[in-house]
Amino acid sequence: MTLRTQTLLIIGLTFSGLLLLAYVIFYNILPTSFAGPEKEAAKQLVTPIAEAISDVLSNPDSKTTGRSPYHVFSLLTTGLLSGLAILLFLKKWALFRLAQFTEISEHKQVENALRRSEERLKLVLEGSEDGFWDWNVASGEVYYSLRYAEMLGYTLDELKAHVDFWKDRIHPEDMPNVEKILEAHLKGKTDHYEAEHRLKTRSGEWKWFLDRGKVVERDNSGTPLRAAGTLTDITERKRMEEAVLQSQQLLEKTFASMDQAVFVVDAKTQAILASNPAVERIFGYTEKEVRGRDTGFLHVDQESYEAFQEEMAAALPANGVYHAEFQMRRKDGSTLFTEQTVTQVLDDTGNMTSIVYVVRDITQKKQMEEELIKAKKLEASGVLAGGIAHDFNNLLAVILGNINMAQEYLETGSPAFKLLEDAEKAALRASHLTRQFITFATGGSPLKRVTSIEKLIQDAVSLACSGSNVECQCEFPPDLWKVEIDESQMNQVIYNMILNAREAMPQGGLIRIVAENFDASSAKGLPLKAGLYVKISISDQGVGIPEKDKDKIFDPYFSTKDKGVQKGMGLGLSIAHSIIKKHEGYIMLDSRLGVGTTFHIYLPTLDKPATAEKNPGKTGHPLKILLMDDEKLMRDMVSQMLHRLGYQVAVASDGAEAIQIFKDAKERGEPFDMVILDLTVKGGMGGLQALKELQQYDPQTRAIVSSGYSQDPVIASFKQYGFCGAITKPYSLQKLREVLDSFLCPQDH
């Protein structure tokens, strides 16, 4: 076989294979890869080619070796055309499949994105614990989520999938507002729908919800077709808001009802932002008058305000609170003592935004503190005076008693009697001075009895104004209440007050004394217990008392007058203050320079009748008296006085000896009619213990207590301790006679 023949044979076999492949593709694969019109077009294109190939392949003379060159050329041409056709159809087929694949991929991506979006929405709704609703506005049908049903206590099957299910459960009070908001949104007036309302749960409980939604689809005319939204349970938030509101209302009520003045001040400008009603009651300014002003106008002066600001600025950052006492000024110009508590208000960053001042009026407290200090000064200063006065009284009692006894043996008009009379006056004056010392020391427990103050004042006026160039004018209401007082001590008070008024007007003038009934329940700023009082006002037209001396006017030994025997000792007002305090009363002054001074005295009243003491006089029969005193001079002197008055006397130096003498006399059938017992015995049994044992032995024992301590409670309230009377040292013969005559009745013998 020649080379040419071999080559043609190889080429023929190759094209035969290509023709066979083209036949399969054109006739079986390509036509089935298209659809519709494209399939028919493919058939028309490939059918002739497929038939030509089939004809070549089926020719009985297909063997390569027997063909002519022309036939081989035809075979090659047909193979080339078939290859080109294959390439063209393969390209079109590939492009068609690529387009199909791209379309499918995009569709899958959209489906995946939609699925992921739905999953995210589901996760958001489940995570927020909100209910979801989807409303077909036209039909009224609503899709409610499972969470929506759970919040109302239902299952999904129990929910009616209609908007009426929601409307039927809205609280009647909330429905008008909900309908108004929803209608506005459906008409396109608002961007979204949002309302807070109550819904009734399956259990009948009302819960608060936040309902939010939006129209998501409208037709061409704007009519809403579909809306969707969420439902949030805000019941707990509403409860907290209610609690906060109640707390705020309580705070406002507390703020308004506080007795203390409260100011809220801007931390930067110091301007008052708010104040409570107590500000007007305490300072006299309305809330409108103080708002916007600096608190400095309430201080007495600029120096005081600057000191307050400096101390507060140093204390607040360190402690958060500042306490201080400052004097402040009212609208009417008067001053008051205040106690201030200042606290800072901080914001979230720790910066001070405002300051709260709580101001309490402590003027009355300060007055009481001053009274206490004054009382302590009197007490401390008078301890020594009281001790000396007791011993001095015993000596005065001996002197006065012996003077009286000497007078008993002299003619009334004799020179010696006159000398003794002067000595008696001096002793009585010394006794009066001693009584002042004792009263100054502890107030001198008063021997009280119910009486009218009117006669006592008139007696004091008569004594103090006698022979002076001043006029006294007294005013008493006809229904003036009675008081329970120690007449001797109160006479001393009134006398000292009138004497001071008289001496304040050396050129003469008018002293006006007014007594009136006073109810302390209407008093403000006075340290008085609730109750009824008699108020005594003693006014003069003198020069007045300087402001600097007002706080010292009741101090012991303070006087604006020259010192001397008759005046300027500085004890008169101190003693008056002590006596009135012992009577549970109060004394105060009101003085203006160039106008005069008024002292106001408040004495408590007592609604019980005064009891008159019987004075049966003497029967002429000798009575037996047992006298007990630890001072021999006193025993001897009083014994002589009792003998002079016609009594039989036995004496004892202490309580134990007196008890023994009393028992011995009783056993002999010669009992004593009266026992006079010294209250205090140095180193022995005193009168109180002696009386207890005597009355245990003989309950009918009658005794009079005697002491130089007029302030002792046994003297003031002798009946409570079993005594029938009391007599204070020193005492005169006449005083002893009066006391004994008051308690020794004819039936005692």
Side-chain angles (χ1 to χ4, degrees):
M1 183 181 294
T2 64
L3 179 61
R4 176 174 173 273
T5 302
Q6 291 177 353
T7 302
L8 290 174
L9 178 61
I10 293 170
I11 293 173
L13 291 173
T14 301
F15 277 100
S16 297
L18 288 173
L19 289 174
L20 180 61
L21 177 62
Y23 178 82
V24 173
I25 292 174
F26 293 156
Y27 200 78
N28 295 308
I29 298 176
L30 286 179
T32 61
S33 299
F34 299 94
E38 290 181 348
K39 183 175 182 179
E40 293 300 324
K43 275 186 177 184
Q44 292 176 5
L45 179 63
V46 301
T47 299
I49 298 174
E51 289 177 352
I53 294 171
S54 176
D55 181 60
V56 173
L57 291 175
S58 63
N59 193 321
D61 296 327
S62 59
K63 294 181 181 180
T64 308
T65 55
R67 300 203 179 202
S68 65
Y70 173 79
H71 187 80
V72 172
F73 176 78
S74 297
L75 182 62
L76 290 173
T77 301
T78 303
L80 288 172
L81 291 174
S82 299
L84 289 173
I86 290 171
L87 291 175
L88 290 173
F89 275 96
L90 284 174
K91 180 181 178 182
K92 187 173 182 180
W93 179 80
L95 291 174
F96 176 76
R97 283 301 183 184
L98 180 60
Q100 280 189 323
F101 177 77
T102 302
E103 183 179 352
I104 293 170
S105 297
E106 290 177 351
H107 183 71
K108 288 291 185 182
Q109 288 177 355
V110 172
E111 288 181 348
N112 291 337
L114 181 59
R115 185 177 66 256
R116 287 195 297 270
S117 178
E118 290 176 348
E119 289 175 351
R120 291 193 190 102
L121 178 60
K122 181 179 180 182
L123 289 173
V124 169
L125 292 175
E126 291 177 353
S128 66
E129 296 189 353
D130 288 348
F132 175 74
W133 51 267
D134 190 345
W135 177 24
N136 185 324
V137 181
S139 66
E141 294 181 357
V142 180
Y143 163 77
Y144 297 109
S145 69
L146 175 62
R147 179 59 186 154
Y148 193 107
E150 290 175 346
M151 286 193 295
L152 296 176
Y154 293 93
T155 64
L156 277 176
D157 295 337
E158 294 173 326
L159 259 66
K160 179 183 177 183
H162 197 276
V163 71
D164 290 342
F165 174 85
W166 168 69
K167 289 183 177 180
D168 292 343
R169 280 154 184 79
I170 297 178
H171 197 286
E173 294 177 2
D174 303 335
M175 178 60 83
N177 185 54
V178 172
E179 288 180 333
K180 179 181 178 182
I181 296 172
L182 181 59
E183 183 180 0
H185 178 60
L186 292 177
K187 290 181 178 180
K189 295 180 180 179
T190 60
D191 181 61
H192 65 282
Y193 155 75
E194 182 173 326
E196 292 183 0
H197 59 78
R198 286 161 289 182
L199 289 176
K200 192 173 186 179
T201 65
R202 183 179 183 182
S203 63
E205 177 188 5
W206 290 100
K207 283 189 174 183
W208 276 97
F209 291 93
L210 172 61
D211 202 357
R212 291 177 290 188
K214 186 173 184 179
V215 173
V216 296
E217 186 178 351
R218 295 178 184 269
D219 62 14
N220 294 333
S221 65
T223 302
L225 301 177
R226 181 184 174 196
T230 59
L231 189 72
T232 306
D233 188 344
I234 59 171
T235 305
E236 190 60 32
R237 193 198 82 189
K238 281 290 186 178
R239 286 175 183 165
M240 292 177 64
E241 289 176 354
E242 182 66 22
V244 170
L245 179 62
Q246 291 178 357
S247 177
Q248 184 177 358
Q249 291 174 344
L250 178 62
L251 182 62
E252 290 175 354
K253 289 179 181 179
T254 303
F255 183 74
S257 62
M258 286 178 67
D259 289 335
Q260 298 89 350
V262 181
F263 299 92
V264 180
V265 178
D266 186 273
K268 291 183 179 179
T269 64
Q270 293 297 309
I272 297 173
L273 304 175
S275 63
N276 69 336
V279 171
E280 184 173 2
R281 178 174 52 80
I282 294 175
F283 291 96
Y285 292 97
T286 64
E287 197 271 342
K288 185 177 180 180
E289 288 175 322
V290 301
R291 186 186 302 165
R293 299 182 67 179
D294 189 294
T295 55
F297 77 97
L298 295 171
H299 286 256
V300 291
D301 51 46
Q302 186 64 23
E303 183 180 354
S304 170
Y305 177 61
E306 290 175 357
F308 170 76
Q309 288 290 326
E310 288 177 7
E311 293 179 12
M312 181 182 68
L316 281 182
N319 307 318
V321 65
Y322 168 61
H323 298 282
E325 290 185 5
F326 275 90
Q327 197 170 15
M328 303 186 81
R329 192 178 303 280
R330 297 186 181 94
K331 186 178 181 179
D332 61 6
S334 62
T335 59
L336 69 157
F337 285 96
T338 65
E339 180 182 73
Q340 300 189 33
T341 301
V342 185
T343 54
Q344 59 182 350
V345 180
L346 306 178
D347 60 17
D348 295 338
T349 62
N351 295 321
M352 183 166 59
T353 58
S354 57
I355 303 172
V356 179
Y357 296 76
V358 179
V359 183
R360 184 161 65 97
D361 184 356
I362 59 169
T363 304
Q364 187 172 352
K365 175 187 172 185
K366 280 290 184 181
Q367 289 176 344
M368 290 185 172
E369 287 177 354
E370 290 172 2
E371 289 292 321
L372 180 61
I373 293 172
K374 193 179 298 179
K376 287 185 178 295
K377 287 170 64 176
L378 289 172
E379 181 180 0
S381 302
V383 170
L384 179 61
I388 293 173
H390 171 262
D391 293 338
F392 192 55
N393 269 338
N394 282 333
L395 297 176
L396 280 177
V398 174
I399 294 170
L400 185 59
N402 282 297
I403 290 173
N404 289 159
M405 290 305 300
Q407 288 175 323
E408 290 293 314
Y409 297 104
L410 294 173
E411 294 292 334
T412 303
S414 66
F417 188 91
K418 182 66 173 61
L419 293 173
L420 291 174
E421 193 174 47
D422 291 341
E424 181 186 23
K425 289 180 181 180
L428 289 173
R429 183 172 294 173
S431 173
H432 181 71
L433 182 60
T434 306
R435 180 182 287 272
Q436 287 189 348
F437 272 117
I438 294 175
T439 303
F440 164 66
T442 61
S445 297
L447 295 170
K448 298 179 184 178
R449 74 183 187 92
V450 179
T451 186
S452 170
I453 197 71
E454 183 177 350
K455 184 177 184 305
L456 187 146
I457 292 174
Q458 290 172 338
D459 290 344
V461 166
S462 176
L463 181 63
C465 294
S466 177
S468 69
N469 59 349
V470 299
E471 178 186 354
C472 285
Q473 184 181 87
C474 298
E475 297 178 17
F476 307 105
D479 59 343
L480 187 64
W481 296 327
K482 293 186 181 298
V483 292
E484 187 182 31
I485 57 173
D486 182 316
E487 292 184 68
S488 176
Q489 290 186 2
M490 201 53 60
N491 182 277
Q492 183 180 346
V493 170
I494 302 299
Y495 175 81
N496 284 343
M497 295 290 100
I498 297 173
L499 196 62
N500 279 345
R502 192 187 79 177
E503 292 175 351
M505 300 182 294
Q507 304 303 320
L510 174 67
I511 298 175
R512 187 165 177 262
I513 304 172
V514 178
E516 58 185 317
N517 299 326
F518 182 80
D519 187 350
S521 61
S522 61
K524 293 184 178 180
L526 291 176
L528 293 173
K529 296 179 181 178
L532 304 178
Y533 293 77
V534 169
K535 178 182 177 182
I536 305 167
S537 301
I538 302 173
S539 305
D540 63 51
Q541 299 173 332
V543 295
I545 299 173
E547 191 71 30
K548 64 182 180 66
D549 293 336
K550 287 182 179 180
D551 291 338
K552 299 179 287 185
I553 201 69
F554 295 113
D555 288 353
Y557 307 111
F558 175 80
S559 176
T560 58
K561 299 174 286 186
D562 295 334
K563 298 292 186 289
V565 176
Q566 297 294 328
K567 61 181 180 177
M569 295 299 292
L571 289 177
L573 290 177
S574 297
I575 292 168
H577 179 276
S578 181
I579 290 173
I580 291 170
K581 185 177 179 182
K582 271 293 182 183
H583 282 76
E584 298 181 357
Y586 181 66
I587 182 172
M588 60 179 292
L589 70 90
D590 180 16
S591 183
R592 295 172 61 189
L593 288 176
V595 177
T597 300
T598 300
F599 283 92
H600 301 287
I601 300 171
Y602 299 86
L603 297 174
T605 65
L606 185 67
D607 261 345
K608 68 178 184 181
T611 55
E613 297 177 351
K614 293 194 297 181
N615 187 4
K618 295 172 65 177
T619 64
H621 299 287
L623 303 175
K624 295 186 65 177
I625 295 177
L626 174 59
L627 171 67
M628 185 274 283
D629 199 293
D630 62 335
E631 293 285 347
K632 184 177 185 305
L633 290 175
M634 191 70 186
R635 289 197 304 272
D636 292 345
M637 184 273 299
V638 176
S639 179
Q640 291 183 50
M641 293 173 73
L642 291 172
H643 280 298
R644 183 67 179 175
L645 294 173
Y647 297 101
Q648 294 182 6
V649 184
V651 296
S653 60
D654 62 17
E657 184 181 2
I659 292 169
Q660 189 59 49
I661 294 173
F662 187 90
K663 289 180 178 179
D664 291 343
K666 183 77 171 177
E667 291 174 359
R668 293 195 306 268
E670 300 173 353
F672 289 99
D673 299 293
M674 180 67 73
V675 181
I676 301 176
L677 299 171
D678 189 11
L679 182 61
T680 305
V681 174
K682 297 176 182 179
M685 182 187 293
L688 185 59
Q689 183 61 34
L691 177 62
K692 289 180 180 179
E693 296 192 19
L694 287 173
Q695 289 182 338
Q696 286 179 356
Y697 176 74
D698 181 4
Q700 301 302 317
T701 301
R702 305 184 69 191
I704 294 173
V705 63
S706 175
S707 178
Y709 282 117
S710 62
Q711 77 276 16
D712 195 288
V714 177
I715 297 295
S717 307
F718 56 85
K719 290 183 179 179
Q720 296 180 12
Y721 295 91
F723 293 96
C724 62
I727 187 169
T728 56
K729 302 174 186 177
Y731 47 83
S732 64
L733 179 64
Q734 179 61 29
K735 180 65 175 178
L736 181 61
R737 176 187 288 116
E738 291 174 358
V739 170
L740 291 173
D741 284 350
S742 298
F743 297 105
L744 289 176
C745 303
Q747 59 265 33
D748 292 327
H749 310 292

